[in-house]
Amino acid sequence: ALAELRQVLRKHSHDPLGIDGYLFEVHVWATYNFDAVEKGLPYRARRYADGVGGDVDVCVHDMRDGTAVDQAQLKTTGKHLFSHFRYTGLDRVTTTEHAHCQGGVCAEGELSYGGASSLPVSLWSGQLQRLESEPEVRLRELQAEPQPQPPPSPPPQLQPRVSRVSCLGGR
């Protein structure tokens, strides 16, 4: 993870549009993989740098056979993320302040597949900038940070009668 982060810092530290989007990609990719490794899951995310994957920024692979099992577009802003015409069939992952549904298109605050999840992050928290200013320290913190646990299910008598369907579908 550190080598990937250093490559991003070398290549994009003077990008006129800013480095936050690249740091967000590294954050999502690294924290998903940290969680998958810790849980002993066979899935690993791969980050496609600088448009190599087309619209796919991160692809999750099943390491047992190498197949791609999930693909995601990552954005730090809502611009284009909620388009019905772009990113069809991809998970849409964004920072916590932009995670919502708009016009039937949803963007989540974390990459989640097969029991592993990336850690959500706010663009305004300063945590992405710490990947730039303190890369080794911040990556160690992220690796040690526990993943949020889903809320407990309500008792059976309080279960909703209608099941919820994710607007991202497929899981």
Side-chain angles (χ1 to χ4, degrees):
L2 184 58
E4 181 89 8
L5 178 55
R6 285 186 173 147
Q7 180 180 358
V8 165
L9 294 173
R10 270 193 308 275
K11 189 165 187 176
H12 299 289
S13 63
H14 299 292
D15 192 314
L17 298 177
I19 195 169
D20 287 347
Y22 301 107
L23 295 173
F24 180 63
E25 289 176 5
V26 171
H27 170 91
V28 171
W29 163 79
T31 60
Y32 177 89
N33 285 337
F34 292 156
D35 191 42
V37 168
E38 180 162 318
K39 292 177 177 175
L41 299 171
Y43 307 110
R44 297 298 179 272
R46 176 179 174 201
R47 180 179 166 270
Y48 291 107
D50 304 320
V52 171
D55 284 343
V56 178
D57 290 325
V58 172
C59 185
V60 177
H61 294 270
D62 186 328
M63 300 310 291
R64 295 171 292 198
D65 61 10
T67 58
V69 293
D70 196 28
Q71 298 177 328
Q73 169 59 223
L74 282 61
K75 293 274 188 229
T76 56
T77 68
K79 187 175 182 182
H80 303 299
L81 196 58
F82 297 99
S83 168
H84 285 279
F85 307 106
R86 294 187 74 179
Y87 316 128
T88 302
L90 302 178
D91 288 350
R92 299 162 196 234
V93 181
T94 189
T95 55
T96 56
E97 51 273 298
H98 298 292
H100 67 278
C101 295
Q102 180 177 313
V105 177
C106 294
E108 303 293 333
E110 60 188 37
L111 174 66
S112 182
Y113 181 85
S117 297
S118 63
L119 286 170
V121 66
S122 167
L123 186 60
W124 310 117
S125 68
Q127 298 308 312
L128 291 177
Q129 293 75 16
R130 286 197 56 228
L131 279 172
E132 183 176 17
S133 64
E134 302 175 88
E136 292 178 41
V137 171
R138 185 62 189 140
L139 280 175
R140 277 196 305 274
E141 290 171 354
L142 288 171
Q143 191 167 14
E145 196 167 320
Q147 293 288 334
Q149 299 301 313
S153 298
Q157 67 272 17
L158 299 177
Q159 291 282 351
R161 294 178 192 265
V162 179
S163 63
R164 291 179 37 186
V165 176
S166 168
C167 57
L168 291 176
R171 286 189 279 240

